[in-house]
Amino acid sequence: EAGVAQSPRYKIIEKRQSVAFWCNPISGHATLYWYQQILGQGPKLLIQFQNNGVVDDSQLPKDRFSAERLKGVDSTLKIQPAKLEDSAVYLCASSLGRERAFFGQGTRLTVV
Amino acid sequence: QQQVKQSPQSLIVQKGGISIINCAYENTAFDYFPWYQQFPGKGPALLIAIRPDVSEKKEGRFTISFNKSAKQFSLHIMDSQPGDSATYFCALGGSTLGRLYFGRGTQLTVWP
């Protein structure tokens, strides 16, 4: 079974620039999550999709972060403009139901 | 606000020893308590999970002990091996939305 695919693996940008991350979930998984993991901390949910609808974006900094899930499959997460404190690993996860989330390898973002 | 408190932050154990990681929570609305294992450069992977209707669950060398009245649960790794060296996260789940709240993580090092 193919896992959750994310790209790019690494990204370095200057502050105030924009960046986008891509995620392809496990086939058939209706639920897709984006988590932010700051160094030394546990993952924190940014946004959750059920098919192509948003069910929880309460922790998403909407002034600079946006996300979409086209046709209920792939998803992109965008940051514009980036701040230094956005340096983190961005993890995409997917699940069939409300348990057993499968995580991708993540995208490590460094904002300089 | 941190929903779950995890301790210790780091743990060093000799090969063959027992590793114990603890988590405590307050909100009794959660009904799914997973542990995730994360290796450097990888996303978290589900290790073992428990529901509050049982007090213990064992899978191979990994055991979750759950104390509902104390609102605590712990991960025990028996016969710890160098390959177990990783960061371990407890999490809370089970809301209708399916999102997980992660602890801050425990970095386990098993010396050969």
Side-chain angles (χ1 to χ4, degrees):
Chain A
E1 175 182 80
V4 176
Q6 290 188 247
S7 66
R9 286 296 314 277
Y10 307 93
K11 192 74 178 179
I12 301 175
I13 62 171
E14 295 183 350
K15 59 183 179 183
R16 290 187 292 274
Q17 284 187 326
S18 63
V19 64
F21 312 127
W22 174 81
C23 172
N24 180 240
I26 292 173
S27 177
H29 283 194
T31 307
L32 185 147
Y33 313 82
W34 283 101
Y35 284 85
Q36 180 193 57
Q37 186 175 22
I38 293 173
L39 185 64
Q41 298 184 21
K44 184 187 81 171
L45 183 74
L46 291 174
I47 189 167
Q48 177 183 347
F49 292 93
Q50 182 73 19
N51 296 307
N52 60 348
V54 175
V55 295
D56 187 353
D57 63 356
S58 57
Q59 299 299 305
L60 188 74
K62 298 180 186 66
D63 58 335
R64 298 184 301 106
F65 285 65
S66 65
E68 61 179 4
R69 189 180 185 192
L70 300 176
K71 300 180 181 178
V73 182
D74 293 4
S75 178
T76 56
L77 176 69
K78 297 178 182 178
I79 308 175
Q80 182 180 12
K83 293 184 175 181
L84 295 177
E85 58 260 36
D86 297 333
S87 294
V89 175
Y90 290 84
L91 295 162
C92 179
S94 68
S95 66
L96 269 176
R98 66 186 187 100
E99 297 177 358
R100 183 110 203 195
F102 292 83
F103 285 81
Q105 294 195 82
T107 295
R108 181 176 295 277
L109 173 67
T110 303
V111 182
V112 298
Chain B
Q1 182 186 4
Q2 195 73 17
Q3 294 277 0
V4 57
K5 295 181 180 179
Q6 182 172 345
S7 63
Q9 188 173 344
S10 63
L11 182 62
I12 299 174
V13 173
Q14 258 195 323
K15 178 182 176 182
I18 301 173
S19 304
I20 301 174
I21 306 170
N22 302 296
C23 283
Y25 63 99
E26 287 296 325
N27 190 337
T28 57
F30 296 107
D31 65 355
Y32 176 65
F33 303 90
W35 285 90
Y36 277 78
Q37 180 188 55
Q38 186 175 32
F39 292 103
K42 303 292 186 183
L46 180 65
L47 190 61
I48 186 171
I50 197 169
R51 291 198 167 277
D53 52 344
V54 296
S55 60
E56 186 174 280
K57 182 175 181 180
K58 183 176 181 180
E59 290 184 1
R61 296 185 293 111
F62 302 92
T63 300
I64 298 180
S65 296
F66 185 81
N67 187 328
K68 188 175 182 179
S69 60
K71 290 182 280 187
Q72 295 176 349
F73 58 110
S74 59
L75 175 69
H76 292 64
I77 305 174
M78 311 300 288
D79 187 26
S80 298
Q81 299 296 312
D84 297 331
S85 296
T87 302
Y88 293 80
F89 295 95
C90 63
L92 309 176
S95 71
T96 53
L97 294 179
R99 63 168 295 176
L100 295 172
Y101 294 86
F102 285 85
R104 295 181 70 92
T106 297
Q107 187 166 348
L108 171 66
T109 302
V110 181
W111 288 99

